[in-house]
Amino acid sequence: MKTVITYGTFDLFHVGHVKLLQRLSDMGSKLVVGCSTDSFNQLKGKRTVYPYQQRKLLLESCRYVDKVFPEENWEQKREDIIRESASLFVMGDDWAGKFDSLSDIVEVFYIPRTPDISTTEIKTYLSVRNEEKDQEIRNLLTRALGLMESK
Ligand code: C2G
């Protein structure tokens, strides 16, 4: 019975997160996830679209996740690992090396991130689309005003 533990914000839940959680669930018999609370994200300097309760519900709806608990600070991991009897601590490799200090109580792994998708990329795409739509509306208004003035 191997429990895998991981942490994250998981905002705008996307396939990059799902593929990571799928790989983590294949590494053990149980997967528990520390989901960053809104106040901890403020500490991390991260603004999220979805509040904690929604991000938690989305994670709990994922077939690969067995349990979600709040991640409120950087320091709670050691206590979580002991409480959950986790034997594997796994994160995407954008965190490579950052949590090696836990290796006295848990096996620490960093696995490749899912390429070509991230919350930031989704936010950027949406803001560009919104700007394009705003421009289209400005063009239409300009044309309509031009038509009205020429009458
Ligand atoms: N991830 C991934 N592939 C992506 C995007 C994210 O594998 N395309 C992984 C990240 O490497 C991380 C997890 O999904 O392991 C969650 O990513 P974030 O929600 O960005 O988590 P982060 O804000 O980095 O918080 O104490 C640790 C922090 O809570 C991690």
Side-chain angles (χ1 to χ4, degrees), residues 4-17:
V4 181
I5 191 167
T6 191
Y7 292 80
T9 301
F10 296 99
D11 193 24
L12 296 181
F13 199 49
H14 55 67
V15 289
H17 297 134

Side-chain angles (χ1 to χ4, degrees), residues 6-11 14 16-17 20 23 34 36 40-41 44 46 71 74 77 90-95 99 111-115 117-119:
T6 191
Y7 292 80
T9 301
F10 296 99
D11 193 24
H14 55 67
H17 297 134
L20 173 92
R23 284 178 287 159
S36 309
F40 181 44
N41 272 317
K44 286 198 272 186
K46 256 194 160 180
E71 179 192 28
W74 292 111
K77 293 185 176 64
V90 192
M91 295 289 291
D93 58 7
D94 47 319
W95 288 95
F99 302 111
I111 61 175
R113 281 169 61 92
T114 306
I117 186 160
S118 71
T119 305

Side-chain angles (χ1 to χ4, degrees), residues 48-149:
T48 56
V49 175
Y50 294 159
Y52 170 74
Q53 285 306 331
Q54 292 183 24
R55 291 184 284 110
K56 178 174 185 282
L57 183 59
L58 282 161
L59 278 168
E60 287 169 339
S61 68
C62 177
R63 71 174 72 169
Y64 304 116
V65 176
D66 296 290
K67 177 180 177 181
V68 182
F69 60 88
E71 179 192 28
E72 298 174 276
N73 56 63
W74 292 111
E75 297 76 27
Q76 70 181 73
K77 293 185 176 64
R78 195 166 279 274
E79 177 192 326
D80 295 339
I81 288 163
I82 292 162
R83 181 190 69 246
E84 298 297 336
S85 308
S87 42
L88 296 177
F89 172 97
V90 192
M91 295 289 291
D93 58 7
D94 47 319
W95 288 95
K98 297 288 190 310
F99 302 111
D100 294 354
S101 61
L102 296 170
S103 54
D104 59 322
I105 60 166
V106 73
E107 279 189 274
V108 178
F109 291 99
Y110 305 99
I111 61 175
R113 281 169 61 92
T114 306
D116 309 322
I117 186 160
S118 71
T119 305
T120 307
E121 281 170 86
I122 294 170
K123 283 180 180 176
T124 304
Y125 171 79
L126 292 175
S127 63
V128 167
R129 279 296 295 126
N130 283 336
E131 181 49 39
E132 284 169 356
K133 274 191 253 173
D134 289 351
Q135 189 54 50
E136 281 164 24
I137 291 167
R138 280 195 289 271
N139 293 345
L140 280 171
L141 283 173
T142 306
R143 285 222 316 271
L145 284 170
L147 285 171
M148 283 160 63
E149 280 161 4

